[in-house]
Amino acid sequence: MKKMLLTAVIAALGIFGANAQEGFKLGAHVGLPMGDAEDITTLNLGVDASYHWNVGEGFDVGLATGYTTFLGDDIDTPLGTVEAENLSYIPVAASARYSFTESIFGGLDLGYALSTDDEVSDSGFYYQPKAGFQTINFDIFAFYKGISVEDATASAIGVGFAYKF
């Protein structure tokens, strides 16, 4: 009886595991800093991972995470040049997207961005609206990203690519 139950559990996990890959995406992004981050950083780079479930015709919800960093710039001061630290975050967000057509979509990620170095920057509210082109195998999208902390916002506008598994 135990062997049959174990076999059934393993078979069920295998079926669910195979279906679980259906909405998984892994990608990368590049952007230009804006707002408060524009003065102290030069470029926004990162990797993205998400999983979406279809909940209605053309409407998906899911989870998104990854790693994003704003590369520090050299800042000229009266005492010389100072190199600003990188601002790096791990976003943890709820994600929604709507397919307007078979190939055009819009989406929004909302959540919290965890700072990887609390001495450089605080963690804060994370938001990322995006719009793009999709195929069966990949997404190409434009985004605006913001991470709001106390009195400042690290933001960027850019493009990204995600491969669908």
Side-chain angles (χ1 to χ4, degrees):
M1 185 66 169
K2 288 181 182 178
K3 288 182 183 181
M4 285 179 37
L5 181 60
L6 181 60
T7 303
V9 168
I10 291 171
L13 290 175
I15 291 168
F16 291 129
N19 288 337
Q21 295 301 313
E22 191 171 294
F24 180 69
K25 298 178 196 82
L26 187 61
H29 65 267
V30 60
L32 296 174
M34 301 183 71
D36 298 325
E38 184 176 21
D39 297 333
I40 61 170
T41 62
T42 59
L43 193 64
N44 172 234
L45 299 171
V47 294
D48 307 299
S50 66
Y51 188 88
H52 286 96
W53 293 272
N54 183 264
V55 294
E57 191 170 332
F59 186 62
D60 300 335
V61 296
L63 303 171
T65 189
Y67 175 80
T68 190
T69 188
F70 292 81
L71 301 178
D73 195 5
D74 290 336
I75 302 167
D76 292 325
T77 69
L79 301 175
T81 302
V82 176
E83 185 177 334
E85 296 285 332
N86 293 349
L87 305 175
S88 300
Y89 301 92
I90 297 172
V92 178
S95 181
R97 59 188 279 153
Y98 182 75
S99 297
F100 297 104
T101 69
E102 194 172 297
S103 57
I104 304 296
F105 74 92
L108 177 64
D109 297 346
L110 290 174
Y112 197 71
L114 302 165
S115 174
T116 61
D117 187 352
D118 289 335
E119 292 180 15
V120 175
S121 178
D122 292 329
S123 300
F125 178 68
Y126 170 79
Y127 53 96
Q128 179 174 259
K130 57 181 124 179
F133 176 80
Q134 62 187 347
T135 70
I136 292 173
N137 297 319
F138 63 87
D139 292 345
I140 297 173
F141 57 91
F143 68 86
Y144 175 82
K145 174 188 315 180
I147 301 168
S148 296
V149 294
E150 291 188 26
D151 297 333
T153 299
S155 57
I157 189 166
V159 294
F161 175 85
Y163 183 78
K164 299 176 182 179
F165 290 88

